[in-house]
Amino acid sequence: MTKKSSKSVTADQYPLKKTQDDVVYEHIFEAVLEQRLAPGTKLNEESLAEIFAVSRTIIRRALSRLGHEQVVELRPNRGAIVATPSAAQARKIVLARRVIEKAVIELVIDNVNSEQLQLLRQSVDSEKQHFERGDRGAGIRQSGEFHLLLAKIADNPPLLSFQRSLVSQCSLIIGQYENSPQSHCSYDEHYQLIAAIEQGDKVSAATLMSHHLDHIENKLSLDEQQSTDNYLKSVFSDI
Amino acid sequence: MTKKSSKSVTADQYPLKKTQDDVVYEHIFEAVLEQRLAPGTKLNEESLAEIFAVSRTIIRRALSRLGHEQVVELRPNRGAIVATPSAAQARKIVLARRVIEKAVIELVIDNVNSEQLQLLRQSVDSEKQHFERGDRGAGIRQSGEFHLLLAKIADNPPLLSFQRSLVSQCSLIIGQYENSPQSHCSYDEHYQLIAAIEQGDKVSAATLMSHHLDHIENKLSLDEQQSTDNYLKSVFSDI
DNA sequence: GTTTAAATTTTTGTATACAAAAAATCAAAA
DNA sequence: TTTTGATTTTTTGTATACAAAAATTTAAAC
């Protein structure tokens, strides 16, 4: 369990009256982001119902929402599993993120105020701390929160909700494809991004963001290559 | 009831085994797109359950999904109503669509084949027919289908699912803010767009798409102004 | 020992009953 | 007449029972 951040990230037009399925949803969502739930893990309804001390009705609602955001895969009559995006799917998710992040960062530069810049800095500070403490899961989640915070500052609910889905899917991808733990020190780039935002430099910001996503995508290609190699090796293992 | 199009537009990784809530979802979705369900209409669970001859469980699942796509507004303990985006919200939705459509159209130009061009033409033909027959509702829906077809050809499931949500929200907006029925002859611009795609002209295509969205946004400003005028008038009606 | 088929168990899908909240109705007071 | 408060009705939220499907186990045949 990790601490609750002060402000909700969802587009909450209705006050903070969190329904039971919201709570379940957020717990599972966070577990996926922190990679405590590995891709492919079966999410048994009754087990979850016991864990959260609610009925299956509530669990099903939460899973349905997670399914809609592509965080879990809903297989008719066969239950839900944590999504396992293929390299090809991952590539498309990253592409979609390129599109959204570029738009978001430009909107942020147009809208941002000093208070929000402070929030951004705090977010990256927290991310850095998690990584330095060796809590990679929390670090990756906090990294995601940084990008969600950007979308929030961009002040466009549809983009935010899309970003939410993309960020969680990217966390899954990172968890699946990025093996070297030391390589994921995104917070450095995040600080640079904040600087570019502060200076109102759209071109630099967009370039930085693009590099940031390149890192994810490169890992992907590498891993894809490896998998192919291993696959061929296993096929001809008797030679 | 309108004819089913040959191919499903949803990202269907699982075969065509439509569940009951899918059917309910699609019916309500289509009714919203065709503006047979006006913005603000209360969607009573029990009434819908009777109409579709299923239990409330199914209805709630369908409404939950529609709520997630922002097609209906889910008010805790107060039921669902067809969404009624304000002018400010509408502007943000249109902005999000600008972002997505630009990306989609460029992907389409990179990927499209002659068979898909044919599908695009058929879609606009159908749209034109609906408008010429005076069936504005079906026309608007078919116009939406054209844009969903583009996203489908772009071959990026996350963008497609986002587009789906945006297109339906735009239909709501058009229904709310566009009063002059003759003005909505988008199919002309759609034909031009196909031509630009065929020629691989990304710049023209993007420009056309942008104009297309300008039309929606202009209507919005006009109506916003009118509402304000009326509001002021009503406030000072005793003078 | 492996494969196939039947029986059993588990799990998901749907309907429904009941609880909780909101809306509507009605009655009394100003 | 309008307003306020209590009562009733309606509607939503949740749990649960049962049905249907899938997974697992068991048993038999090869």
Side-chain angles (χ1 to χ4, degrees):
Chain A
M1 303 294 130
T2 48
K3 52 111 222 315
K4 294 267 156 290
S5 63
S6 54
K7 288 187 180 181
S8 158
V9 149
T10 36
D12 39 9
Q13 16 195 49
Y14 288 101
L16 348 77
K17 200 187 181 185
K18 269 185 194 159
T19 60
Q20 293 191 83
D21 41 67
D22 277 335
V23 175
V24 174
Y25 164 86
E26 279 170 22
H27 271 95
I28 300 179
F29 185 85
E30 196 175 90
V32 171
L33 249 66
E34 293 198 2
Q35 307 181 10
R36 298 196 309 270
L37 274 172
T41 305
K42 176 78 191 286
L43 299 171
N44 182 286
E45 294 180 5
E46 198 137 26
S47 310
L48 290 171
E50 263 190 56
I51 291 166
F52 291 103
V54 293
S55 76
R56 276 179 51 221
T57 308
I58 306 297
I59 301 296
R60 284 176 70 80
R61 263 183 90 87
L63 289 178
S64 160
R65 188 169 157 204
L66 288 161
H68 197 270
E69 290 180 5
Q70 311 276 102
V71 175
V72 307
E73 189 182 335
L74 260 37
R75 308 166 305 168
N77 281 317
R78 305 203 40 219
I81 57 172
V82 177
T84 57
S86 69
Q89 287 175 315
R91 231 173 270 288
K92 290 176 184 181
I93 292 163
V94 173
L95 171 57
R97 249 194 99 167
R98 279 184 198 282
V99 172
I100 302 304
E101 292 280 10
K102 186 172 189 298
V104 163
I105 202 84
E106 287 175 1
L107 283 170
V108 166
I109 290 178
D110 290 336
N111 291 343
V112 74
N113 61 38
S114 58
E115 192 195 342
Q116 291 167 330
L117 276 168
Q118 197 52 33
L119 284 173
L120 285 170
R121 277 191 212 96
Q122 281 169 15
S123 173
V124 186
D125 289 346
S126 166
E127 181 190 347
K128 189 183 175 192
Q129 277 169 24
H130 284 307
F131 277 118
E132 286 178 346
R133 278 181 201 149
D135 191 348
R136 182 162 173 269
I140 290 174
R141 181 180 56 76
Q142 191 61 39
S143 170
E145 296 287 353
F146 173 77
H147 289 272
L148 288 178
L149 188 51
L150 283 175
K152 215 176 169 184
I153 295 169
D155 193 32
N156 186 302
L159 285 180
L160 172 59
S161 100
F162 192 34
Q163 177 80 313
R164 194 175 164 75
S165 169
L166 291 174
V167 164
S168 47
Q169 288 182 78
C170 277
S171 292
L172 279 170
I173 292 166
I174 293 168
Q176 261 189 293
Y177 294 95
E178 187 179 293
N179 308 10
S180 44
Q182 83 287 0
S183 69
H184 193 83
C185 45
S186 57
Y187 59 81
D188 228 29
E189 292 178 323
H190 286 168
Y191 281 126
Q192 290 180 265
L193 209 52
I194 293 175
I197 292 168
E198 210 166 0
Q199 288 158 29
D201 187 345
K202 287 191 186 181
V203 177
S204 292
T207 309
L208 275 165
M209 185 61 89
S210 185
H211 284 330
H212 196 56
L213 294 167
D214 286 344
H215 289 177
I216 300 179
E217 203 155 355
N218 288 341
K219 285 278 157 36
L220 215 59
S221 314
L222 197 66
D223 201 277
E224 199 175 33
Q225 190 57 44
Q226 282 181 330
S227 316
T228 310
D229 289 351
N230 290 338
Y231 175 66
L232 289 175
K233 214 175 281 179
S234 73
V235 168
F236 299 114
S237 58
D238 55 332
I239 293 178
Chain B
M1 307 292 130
T2 48
K3 52 113 217 318
K4 294 266 156 287
S5 64
S6 53
K7 288 186 182 183
S8 158
V9 150
T10 37
D12 38 9
Q13 17 196 47
Y14 290 99
L16 351 74
K17 199 186 183 185
K18 269 184 196 159
T19 60
Q20 292 190 85
D21 41 66
D22 277 335
V23 174
V24 174
Y25 164 85
E26 280 169 22
H27 271 94
I28 299 178
F29 185 85
E30 196 175 89
V32 170
L33 250 67
E34 293 198 2
Q35 307 181 10
R36 299 197 306 272
L37 274 172
T41 306
K42 176 78 189 288
L43 299 171
N44 182 285
E45 295 180 4
E46 197 137 29
S47 310
L48 290 170
E50 263 189 56
I51 291 166
F52 290 104
V54 292
S55 75
R56 273 178 54 220
T57 308
I58 307 298
I59 301 298
R60 284 176 69 80
R61 264 184 89 87
L63 289 178
S64 160
R65 189 171 158 202
L66 289 161
H68 198 269
E69 290 181 5
Q70 311 276 101
V71 175
V72 307
E73 188 182 336
L74 259 38
R75 307 166 306 169
N77 281 316
R78 304 201 41 219
I81 58 171
V82 177
T84 56
S86 69
Q89 288 174 315
R91 230 174 272 287
K92 291 176 184 180
I93 292 162
V94 173
L95 171 55
R97 249 195 99 167
R98 279 184 198 282
V99 172
I100 302 305
E101 292 280 11
K102 186 172 188 297
V104 163
I105 201 85
E106 287 175 3
L107 283 170
V108 166
I109 289 178
D110 291 335
N111 290 343
V112 75
N113 61 38
S114 59
E115 191 194 343
Q116 291 166 330
L117 276 167
Q118 196 52 33
L119 283 173
L120 285 169
R121 277 192 213 95
Q122 281 169 15
S123 173
V124 186
D125 288 346
S126 167
E127 182 190 347
K128 188 181 176 193
Q129 277 168 25
H130 283 307
F131 278 117
E132 287 178 346
R133 278 181 201 150
D135 191 347
R136 182 163 173 266
I140 290 174
R141 181 180 56 76
Q142 189 62 39
S143 169
E145 296 286 352
F146 173 78
H147 288 273
L148 288 178
L149 188 51
L150 283 175
K152 212 176 170 183
I153 293 168
D155 194 31
N156 187 302
L159 285 179
L160 171 59
S161 102
F162 192 34
Q163 177 80 313
R164 192 174 164 76
S165 169
L166 291 174
V167 164
S168 47
Q169 288 182 77
C170 277
S171 292
L172 279 169
I173 292 166
I174 293 168
Q176 261 189 292
Y177 294 94
E178 188 179 291
N179 308 10
S180 42
Q182 83 286 0
S183 69
H184 193 83
C185 45
S186 58
Y187 59 80
D188 228 29
E189 293 177 323
H190 286 168
Y191 281 127
Q192 290 179 263
L193 209 51
I194 292 174
I197 292 167
E198 210 165 359
Q199 289 158 28
D201 186 346
K202 287 190 185 181
V203 177
S204 291
T207 308
L208 276 165
M209 185 61 88
S210 184
H211 283 332
H212 197 54
L213 294 167
D214 286 343
H215 288 179
I216 300 179
E217 203 155 356
N218 288 339
K219 285 278 157 37
L220 216 56
S221 316
L222 196 66
D223 201 276
E224 198 175 33
Q225 190 57 43
Q226 283 182 329
S227 316
T228 309
D229 288 352
N230 290 337
Y231 175 66
L232 290 175
K233 212 174 284 179
S234 73
V235 168
F236 301 113
S237 58
D238 55 330
I239 294 179

